[in-house]
Structures are given as C-alpha cells and as structure tokens.
Amino acid sequence: MITLHRLRILLKTPGFKHTYACISNEQRLNIVLTPCLASGRAVSSYSRDFKDVCHSNAAKGRLTLNSFSTVTVNRVCWNCGASADLFFCAFCKVIQPPDNKTSYFDILKCEENFSLDTQKLQQKYVELQRVLHPDNFTQKSQKEQEYSEEQSALVNKAYRTLQKPLSRAVYMLELRGVLLEEGTDATADPALLLEVMEINESLAETRSQDEVSAIGRSVQEKLKDLTERMNSSLNRGDLLAAKMLLNKMKYFTNIQEKVKDRITQGC
C-alpha cells in the first residue's frame, strides 16, 4: 500500500509506469508499478476503460468526448490529480487548462502535413467547439469557465492558422526553426517583383468586372502551383526552397485579397 502523497513523488521518478489505480476507503492506492525502461521517463496510464465516463452534458444534448480522450501529453488533472488528456480529465471529466506548447496539428488531431484535408480539419474544429464552447460551462466553477474560454480561443487560433495555405506554411516553417522576416523581402527575385507590380497596376487601372475576375483566376492558378511546390519542398525537408516559395505566396495572396475586395465592391 502506498499513500497518494508517496505515489505522486514516485511517479516523478524516471523509469516507471502507472498502470492501474483506485482509491480505497482508507484513502490508499492499490497500484501496480512496472519498469518502463524503453521510454526513460514516467508515463501515466490507466488500465480501466473510461468509455462510459468521458461524456459532457452540453446545453443541446449529450456530447461524447471519447474522440478527445486519448492521452497525447503527460498531464495531471488540476481537479483530481489523475492522468489528464489535452482537453478533459478522463477520470473526473473536468476541463483542463490549455497547453500552449502543444502544436496546432495535435490540437486539431491531424497529421503534420502541408497538404492536409481542410474538410476534415473543419469537421474536427466543429466537434471540438461543440464541447469546449463557454456556453456549455455557464453552470460550472469560475476556473472551469475560464479554461473553457481559453481552450476555445486556442482551438480557434489553431484552426485559423491551419485553414489557409499561407498561414499554414508560415507556421510549419516556424515549427522547424525557420525565422521569417516581417515586411517586404529585400532579397526577392527582381523578375517576381516586376511581375507583381504589373499585376497590381493592371488591377488598379481596370474598371471591368470581367478583367478583375480574369486577374483573380490567373493569380489563383499561380497560388495553386506555389502550394503544390511548397508541399513538395516541406516533404523533402528543403526549408530554404520552402522559405523562398513562401515569400512568393505572400505577394500573390496579397493580390488575391485585393481582387476579392474589388469584386465585393463591384469594381
């Protein structure tokens, strides 16, 4: 028999794994500790099945949290001290504080791939917001309400970043330690700058809706090509090429936004 205080100290010792836990009437834990020599660090896991435990009663029906209950980080629940997942504790079901060190790909449970499926990304985003939205925690404690707001905001930020190719590319390069300069790239290809300047002049001078749309289609094709090349560069680990492509994507994305504004304003 090991007391809860001693157990928590022991779990911090490298080379052990918590495989089963339950608290008796005497507030002692009956546990089994097994060596975990391969990992070299303590990993906490439960042998019992939490299938029927991880649920949240939201304002509009019973929302299942099973898809969010996989332990991806080694965390301890602030409420009960059990092993906690990224969003909720599998044992007491209480929402957890956000982990700002977790990558946006892990938050939205998608592969770290530039050519990710944006429809699946949106689906996962909607699923997460259904259970994390602050409206579901109005009757909870102040701390839980705050964590809900923070988690929901972090999921929003992750989704906005990964949703569009340009911001996704910036984020993936930053994850790989590539520093990106703000503003105009002084080392940009002169031919590229000339091309961009000519497109901007044509867009500014035209008063035809058809011409604006034609410029938009041309820019869209350029961005499609750049996106495919960016994906190839990141897949093969060519960060220098990816950084150069990113600079080009910035210029043409800027033009694309101008085209959208002109179309919205009716030229």
Side-chain angles (χ1 to χ4, degrees):
M1 293 294 186
I2 302 177
T3 64
L4 182 59
H5 176 69
R6 292 180 60 192
L7 173 62
R8 285 175 174 166
I9 295 177
L10 186 57
L11 284 178
K12 294 180 181 179
T13 305
F16 286 92
K17 181 179 180 182
H18 182 188
T19 58
Y20 178 84
C22 63
I23 302 178
S24 67
N25 294 332
E26 294 79 22
Q27 297 299 307
R28 293 176 180 274
L29 301 179
N30 181 16
I31 63 167
V32 177
L33 293 174
T34 57
C36 186
L37 301 178
S39 65
R41 60 188 178 93
V43 179
S44 180
S45 62
Y46 285 85
S47 62
R48 65 173 295 178
D49 183 9
F50 289 106
K51 179 179 180 182
D52 299 323
V53 179
C54 293
H55 293 83
S56 173
N57 291 318
K60 297 182 179 180
R62 191 174 182 83
L63 299 175
T64 302
L65 299 182
N66 288 339
S67 57
F68 312 123
S69 62
T70 301
V71 178
T72 56
V73 289
N74 189 25
R75 307 181 73 192
V76 175
C77 174
W78 63 270
N79 183 59
C80 71
S83 178
D85 306 330
L86 189 59
F87 300 107
F88 293 91
C89 173
F91 189 75
C92 70
K93 300 177 289 183
V94 168
I95 191 168
Q96 300 299 300
D99 183 359
N100 293 314
K101 294 182 179 180
T102 302
S103 81
Y104 294 162
F105 292 96
D106 289 336
I107 289 174
L108 291 164
K109 296 189 181 297
C110 58
E111 293 184 6
E112 190 174 319
N113 194 319
F114 183 73
S115 60
L116 55 77
D117 188 327
T118 54
Q119 289 187 339
K120 290 183 178 180
L121 182 75
Q122 183 181 34
Q123 180 182 1
K124 185 59 64 176
Y125 166 73
V126 172
E127 290 175 358
L128 282 171
Q129 288 296 16
R130 281 176 181 168
V131 295
L132 295 173
H133 197 279
D135 287 350
N136 299 331
F137 296 84
T138 56
Q139 303 302 316
K140 299 294 184 179
S141 68
Q142 183 64 33
K143 180 176 287 189
E144 289 173 275
Q145 292 180 40
E146 292 175 358
Y147 288 161
S148 169
E149 292 175 358
E150 293 170 2
Q151 288 277 28
S152 181
L154 181 59
V155 170
N156 275 331
K157 184 177 180 181
Y159 177 67
R160 289 196 306 269
T161 300
L162 299 184
Q163 182 186 26
K164 296 183 178 181
L166 180 60
S167 54
R168 189 190 315 144
V170 171
Y171 181 67
M172 291 186 69
L173 285 173
E174 288 177 346
L175 285 179
R176 288 155 175 75
V178 178
L179 299 179
L180 304 172
E181 300 83 6
E182 295 290 338
T184 304
D185 181 16
T187 63
D189 181 6
L192 170 65
L193 297 178
L194 179 61
E195 180 184 9
V196 170
M197 183 178 66
E198 291 176 346
I199 296 175
N200 276 318
E201 288 179 351
S202 297
L203 184 61
E205 293 171 358
T206 185
R207 294 294 180 268
S208 168
Q209 181 82 19
D210 291 339
E211 289 181 4
V212 171
S213 297
I215 293 174
R217 289 192 296 271
S218 175
V219 170
Q220 182 61 39
E221 284 299 315
K222 291 182 182 296
L223 283 171
K224 180 180 178 182
D225 175 64
L226 289 170
T227 299
E228 292 174 351
R229 291 164 61 189
M230 173 67 76
N231 184 53
S232 298
S233 296
L234 288 172
N235 285 341
R236 65 174 183 268
D238 190 345
L239 300 183
L240 180 59
K243 184 177 180 180
M244 295 176 63
L245 289 168
L246 177 62
N247 288 327
K248 293 182 179 180
M249 289 177 66
K250 287 181 178 179
Y251 283 109
F252 288 108
T253 298
N254 181 263
I255 297 175
Q256 186 182 53
E257 293 301 318
K258 293 180 181 178
V259 169
K260 290 180 180 179
D261 289 341
R262 289 289 300 274
I263 293 176
T264 300
Q265 297 168 5
C267 291

